Amino acid sequence: MKIWSSEHVFGHPWDTVIKAAMRKYPNPMNPCVVGVDVLDRNLDNQGRLHSHRLLSTEWGLPTLVKAVLGTNRTLTYIQEHSVVDPVGKKMELCSTNITLTNLVLVNERLVYTPHPDNPEMTVLTHEAVITVKGFSLGSYLESLMANTISSNARKGWAAIEWIIQNSESAVS
Amino acid sequence: MNSVGEACTDMKREYDQCFNRWFAEKFLKGDGSGDPCTDLFKRYQQCVQKAIKEKEIPIEGLEFMGHSKEKSESSS
């Protein structure tokens, strides 16, 4: 099992970041996400918005990893649950892969909150737990995947910025 | 952005536009009532459910309860 976590600060207020996060795909930084669908969406009795989404992704695993995993399939599916609390100003998003689960589990958790010292900024706490199953090369592959996740996370943060920049001129 | 079901992409885009507008202009400003996207979502959802079954995508723990029903889940 490999745990990766990082904290990122956006130079934008929480509302702006959340609007962008809900419209994150498509963006040029994450071309591997090729499909997004909302499976279910509802308000709970505390006024928080729950969304269940399905993401279709082309993982872009390195050739060596594909060979070791013994799969040519590159289209994988990820299930995502997010909760947006507009009063408490907190968005939490959890995702997990639902294919290739006999080989690897990638669980990600993202939490967006206003910066405690500056309401014009937003903090993202981003964590991932990676478990590769049944391989003696497990820890090597886990490190490889942690690097991929770290790299993709950075692209995701840049994607949020890109969405914000490209929306600011538009009337929302 | 495409849908998992090719036939659902137009419905998805229409729903997304409606949702994004409501989310930014109403929900985030504290007005979570009167969601105008319910009908769009129902049609889109039916299409997606069909595509998921056809592609045998292993969705877990989800019941398609409809857009406006409240969930009683207390765990995250």
Side-chain angles (χ1 to χ4, degrees):
Chain A
M1 184 197 286
K2 180 88 176 175
I3 297 169
W4 171 90
S5 71
S6 191
E7 202 176 81
H8 180 75
V9 178
F10 294 97
H12 304 279
W14 185 82
D15 278 37
T16 303
V17 174
I18 297 316
K19 278 186 267 187
M22 294 300 273
R23 303 190 330 257
K24 194 172 169 186
Y25 305 107
N27 70 74
M29 290 81 178
N30 299 122
C32 51
V33 177
V34 298
V36 179
D37 282 293
V38 181
L39 301 174
D40 194 19
R41 192 165 254 157
N42 61 286
L43 286 171
D44 68 16
N45 51 19
Q46 295 164 56
R48 301 178 306 176
L49 183 72
H50 292 249
S51 304
H52 286 90
R53 300 200 308 177
L54 175 70
L55 273 61
S56 312
T57 69
E58 288 281 353
W59 242 98
L61 290 170
T63 313
L64 171 63
V65 178
K66 277 193 268 187
V68 170
L69 293 179
T71 177
N72 282 321
R73 286 176 55 196
T74 55
L75 187 66
T76 59
Y77 294 104
I78 290 166
Q79 198 167 327
E80 184 198 270
H81 176 206
S82 64
V83 186
V84 182
D85 180 350
V87 173
K89 291 198 187 295
K90 182 179 175 191
M91 173 171 175
E92 183 169 343
L93 186 153
C94 294
S95 72
T96 183
N97 60 301
I98 56 170
T99 50
L100 298 181
T101 51
N102 56 327
L103 299 171
V104 64
L105 280 178
V106 179
N107 289 299
E108 280 193 86
R109 182 168 173 263
L110 288 74
V111 182
Y112 296 87
T113 49
H115 195 287
D117 302 327
N118 184 347
E120 294 303 304
M121 295 168 73
T122 302
V123 177
L124 165 61
T125 308
H126 195 155
E127 308 171 308
V129 178
I130 306 134
T131 312
V132 174
K133 297 183 171 184
F135 282 92
S136 56
L137 287 176
S139 60
Y140 165 75
L141 287 175
E142 285 170 359
S143 293
L144 203 62
M145 294 191 70
N147 289 339
T148 304
I149 283 168
S150 173
S151 163
N152 283 344
R154 280 177 179 68
K155 289 178 193 168
W157 307 336
I160 299 279
E161 296 282 357
W162 184 88
I163 296 280
I164 290 170
Q165 301 304 331
N166 282 277
S167 304
E168 258 165 10
S169 53
V171 177
S172 61
Chain B
M1 190 83 270
N2 294 329
S3 169
V4 68
E6 293 78 11
C8 313
T9 295
D10 286 345
M11 279 182 252
K12 170 200 141 61
R13 287 179 188 169
E14 220 182 324
Y15 165 72
D16 281 348
Q17 266 189 346
C18 179
F19 169 77
N20 288 331
R21 203 162 41 236
W22 171 82
F23 184 76
E25 292 172 12
K26 298 276 185 187
F27 177 74
L28 283 186
K29 296 184 178 171
D31 180 10
S33 62
D35 177 7
C37 311
T38 314
D39 290 341
L40 283 173
F41 185 68
K42 272 188 195 144
R43 277 206 316 268
Y44 162 49
Q45 198 186 58
Q46 277 166 4
C47 184
V48 167
Q49 259 185 291
K50 190 160 163 275
I52 284 167
K53 279 194 184 121
E54 281 168 5
K55 297 191 183 212
E56 296 179 346
I57 299 171
I59 305 288
E60 289 176 11
L62 276 189
E63 295 170 277
F64 290 89
M65 296 185 67
H67 195 95
S68 54
K69 287 191 184 160
E70 284 186 55
K71 291 237 160 91
S72 56
E73 63 198 72
S74 52
S75 56
S76 60

